[in-house]
Every structure is written in C-alpha cells, then in structure tokens.
Amino acid sequence: MKKFFKILFFIILLSILILWLAKIFLLTHKYQVKYYNEDKIEKDIVITFNGIYGYEKQLRFIDEKLAEDGYTVVNIQYPSVNENIAEMTEKYIAPNIEEQVKRLEQVNLERKAKNLPELKINFVVHSMGTCLLRYYLKENKLASLGKVVLITPPSHGSQLSDNPIADLIPYFIGPAVKDMKTNKDSFVNQLGNPDYPCYILIADSSNNFLFSLFIKGEDDGMVPLATAGLEGASLKTIKNTTHTSILEKQETVDEILQFLKN
C-alpha cells in the first residue's frame, strides 16, 4: 500500500511539473505591440489580437496582407493565462485602443482641413480575443468605430470550458477559461449582440480529436460551430480550415478585405 501511495504521489508531482512547464513555455506569451504602416496613416486603422494561448505570429499573415492593402495595423499580443477576460481587456487591450483613438482624432482633424473623408478604427480578432473585444465595446462607445471581424469566436461559450478540469486547475490553464462556459449566466453569455457592423468567420474542421470529444455537434477543435453566430452579425464558413489554420488562408483575408471595403 505504501508503494502505491508513493507512486501516486510521484505521478501527481510529475503532472504538476508538466503543467507548470507547459504554462511557462507553451501557454504564456509576453505582452507586446507590433505596428504596420504606423508612420503614415492614410487608410483606416485595424487592430488585431489573439485568443487564449495565442501569439502575434498566428495573425501575422492577416496583418501583413492588411498592411499591403494600405491599412495601419496594430497587433496586440497579450498574456492570456494570468487574468480573467475583463482584467485582460482593461490591462492590455483598452490602453492600446485609447491610444489609437487619440492618434486618429488628430489625423482626422488634418484630413477634415483637406476635405478628406474621416478614417475609422476596425478590429480583426481571433477566438477568445473576440470575447475581450465584445466586452470592451459593451463597456465603451467608440465614435471612430468602423467594422469588426470575429474569427472562430466562442460567442456562446465552449463545452471545453464546462469541463470540471477548468475549475480544478485555473492557475495552469488561466482563469479566463471559466468565463467561456456555455451556461446562460456565464460571462461570455452576458456580452450581448453587436450593435456595430460585424462579420463572423468560422472554420469547419477539427484536428484535435480529444477536444472534439467534449464539444457538442460539429466543431473546429476548440469551439462549437452551431453557437458561433450572433444576432445581427453576418457569418461565413471558411471550408477545410481548423480553429487556427483559418488564420493563414487567403480566403480569410479576402473576406476580411471585402467586408472592410464595402
């Protein structure tokens, strides 16, 4: 019996060590902001940011294509495992939006003097990042808000967050996971529907068999497809893509550019 408990104790310690190393080296990414076309704002600004455990490189293909089209792009890479959604929004997202709002106000004053049309701030955000943005826009009204693109959003939560493990090890996977439960009283289900031009792009394939076991119906490896939509938002499926591969598909970029221009 003593040997059994020793083995069990060792397994528990090993599991904790693995989780700790995963948090440090795989799930945590430092806070940084990357700019494209920052010095010469001649077209709308587009702010982009990642989802849970995400990082700048995942959105680089989209960012670079938007920049090539003339947009000023601001990518916010934020740590996603230390705070809940509201705290991350206030700490990392809000200050950057407010900075761009001030910059754009000055640019628009100069454009008005030249009889040029006013520029706007648009958003292209991924996964849990859509929840941060929806929370920010619920709490703040932006006079300069243009259009919003939500990519693979857990609009009404994901059954992955309903799993009991999310309540048992929040330190390792992040407290924000609990914000994305599917029950009607969860944080994400209190964010409401968009009152701004909004376009939702979803994937249709999963490359994570284990995660898909916990999600009801079709999924993209992280979120259920049936509940990705929001009232008042258009929605399109990008075929043969997963939760993250959708970010590197030319069709995704084409849809974003067309939505921003129309």
Side-chain angles (χ1 to χ4, degrees):
M1 185 63 70
K2 287 183 178 180
K3 184 178 181 180
F4 169 79
F5 281 113
K6 285 182 179 179
I7 294 174
L8 180 61
F9 181 69
F10 174 77
I11 292 173
I12 292 173
L13 285 180
L14 182 61
S15 299
I16 292 173
L17 177 61
I18 292 172
L19 285 170
W20 181 77
L21 290 173
K23 178 182 180 181
I24 297 299
F25 295 105
L26 297 178
L27 305 183
T28 300
H29 304 286
K30 67 178 182 179
Y31 170 60
Q32 66 177 39
V33 183
K34 185 173 182 177
Y35 301 92
Y36 299 79
N37 298 335
E38 179 188 17
D39 297 332
K40 198 173 184 181
I41 302 177
E42 296 180 335
K43 205 168 182 177
D44 284 356
I45 294 173
V46 182
I47 297 177
T48 70
F49 48 90
N50 53 272
I52 194 165
Y53 318 135
Y55 44 95
E56 173 270 329
K57 188 177 179 180
Q58 290 177 327
L59 283 155
R60 192 177 298 172
F61 178 72
I62 292 174
D63 291 342
E64 290 177 346
K65 292 295 184 179
L66 288 169
E68 287 174 10
D69 205 71
Y71 291 97
T72 293
V73 180
V74 182
N75 175 274
I76 307 166
Q77 175 181 284
Y78 63 95
S80 62
V81 296
N82 297 325
E83 292 101 4
N84 61 35
I85 287 175
E87 291 167 339
M88 287 187 290
T89 303
E90 297 300 331
K91 188 173 182 180
Y92 302 110
I93 305 303
N96 283 287
I97 294 177
E98 290 158 11
E99 178 184 349
Q100 296 308 313
V101 167
K102 290 178 180 177
R103 291 186 67 208
L104 198 59
E105 286 175 352
Q106 183 59 43
V107 169
N108 280 329
L109 282 175
E110 295 170 1
R111 290 177 65 84
K112 185 177 181 180
K114 299 176 183 178
N115 292 317
L116 294 173
E118 187 178 83
L119 298 180
K120 299 289 186 179
I121 294 179
N122 307 286
F123 294 90
V124 176
V125 291
H126 180 234
S127 191
M128 186 186 73
T130 67
C131 303
L132 274 70
L133 179 61
R134 288 172 61 204
Y135 170 73
Y136 178 85
L137 294 177
K138 178 185 176 185
E139 299 296 317
N140 302 271
K141 298 299 179 184
L142 294 184
S144 56
L145 178 62
K147 297 180 178 181
V148 170
V149 179
L150 309 178
I151 304 177
T152 61
S155 299
H156 298 282
S158 170
Q159 285 81 17
L160 288 176
S161 297
D162 296 337
N163 193 299
I165 195 172
D167 298 313
L168 293 174
I169 55 172
Y171 171 79
F172 297 105
I173 62 175
V177 172
K178 293 195 290 185
D179 286 341
M180 295 180 286
K181 292 181 180 293
T182 61
N183 66 77
K184 65 178 182 179
D185 298 321
S186 71
F187 178 89
V188 71
N189 278 313
Q190 304 305 308
L191 296 178
N193 293 305
D195 58 358
Y196 40 82
C198 183
Y199 192 26
I200 295 173
L201 300 176
I202 60 173
D204 67 345
S205 304
S206 171
N207 59 358
N208 195 322
F209 172 75
L210 180 61
F211 281 8
S212 294
L213 289 176
F214 297 99
I215 302 174
K216 294 179 182 178
E218 292 183 280
D219 67 274
D220 67 0
M222 290 290 284
V223 301
L225 307 188
T227 58
L230 291 166
E231 186 177 335
S234 301
L235 183 147
K236 181 179 177 63
T237 301
I238 306 299
K239 299 292 186 181
N240 302 314
T241 59
T242 66
H243 190 72
T244 53
S245 73
I246 190 174
L247 299 174
E248 298 181 347
K249 193 79 177 286
Q250 183 61 46
E251 184 183 355
T252 302
V253 173
D254 293 341
E255 290 294 329
I256 294 170
L257 288 173
Q258 183 176 356
F259 177 63
L260 293 180
K261 291 174 182 177
N262 292 341

